[in-house]
């Protein structure tokens, strides 16, 4: 038996750690996940699509969303705004879906403060060298941006211990199965099953001497 409300999962990790690939595979392989699509002011990369990869906004539009409190959290990352639209996340959790947010560290901390039941997962490649090679190899950013993202990785590494779980993205299928396992275990977390716990505690009282 599982808790009925969905689990909110935050997936963070260095740029180039493979978070996007892990999530895509998780959604293909298992049911019951909903992926939150963020709003951003950065330009689309080749192959990215409005409403699939991100909702692309101007700075003015993004600041309007902040003003209207339509974002659960937001942060600036390498000169652009990124934020999580609130309504989708809340409604999917109520439906019982496990909702995944792929966001950076500052946003992750805002979410954990607001919703302490959130599970924080940090994805990392097996080594720094692999990280750099992946960022260069995907050919989507110029060298200046890559260096900024690598510098940001060294800052984000300082916050890794604030996460609940670490996922080492070496072999994709294993990494995806580990993530699924973490989330399934969270459904059995004692605190997430308070109503069942109080029901069974009441029921067994009849056996008391
Ligand atoms: P990218 O430009 O590579 O798509 O994303 C850059 C960083 O922004 C990544 O670390 C990604 O996880 C993070 N990010 C994406 N969406 C959001 C969001 O809605 N909120 C926050 N705080 N970070 C986000």
């Amino acid at each position: 038996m599982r808790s009925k409300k969905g689990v909110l999962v935050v997936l963070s990790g260095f740029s180039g750690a493979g978070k996007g690939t892990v999530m895509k595979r998780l959604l293909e392989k298992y049911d019951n996940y909903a992926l939150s699509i963020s709003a951003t002011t950065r330009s689309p990369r080749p192959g990215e699509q409005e409403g699939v990869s991100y909702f692309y906004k101007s700075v003015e539009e993004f600041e309007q969303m902040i003003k209207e409190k339509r974002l659960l959290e937001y942060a600036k990352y390498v000169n652009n705004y990124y934020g999580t639209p609130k309504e989708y996340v809340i409604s999917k959790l109520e439906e019982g879906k496990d909702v995944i947010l792929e966001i950076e560290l500052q946003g992750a901390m805002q979410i954990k403060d607001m919703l302490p039941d959130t599970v924080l997962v940090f994805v990392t490649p097996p080594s720094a060298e692999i990280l750099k090679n992946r960022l260069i190899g995907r050919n989507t950013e110029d060298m200046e941006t890559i260096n900024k993202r690598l510098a940001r990785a060294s800052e984000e590494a300082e916050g890794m211990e604030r996460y609940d779980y670490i996922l080492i993205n070496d072999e994709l299928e294993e990494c995806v199965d580990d993530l699924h396992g973490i989330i399934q275990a969270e459904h059995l977390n004692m605190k997430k099953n308070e109503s069942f716990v109080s029901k069974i505690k009441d029921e067994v009282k009849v056996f008391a001497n």
Side-chain angles (χ1 to χ4, degrees), residues 7 18 26 40 99 132 135 143 164 167 170 173 205:
V7 172
L26 181 80
T40 184
V99 180
K132 186 171 179 183
L135 266 181
M143 211 49 216
D164 301 308
L167 265 189
D170 190 0
E173 292 302 317
K205 276 189 190 139

Side-chain angles (χ1 to χ4, degrees), residues 19 38 42 45 54 73 82-84 102-104 149:
K19 293 167 299 220
S38 298
R42 93 148 157 70
R45 292 187 190 127
Y54 282 103
E73 62 71 41
Y82 293 82
T84 306
E102 192 231 296
I103 66 178
E104 53 64 72
R149 283 174 177 250

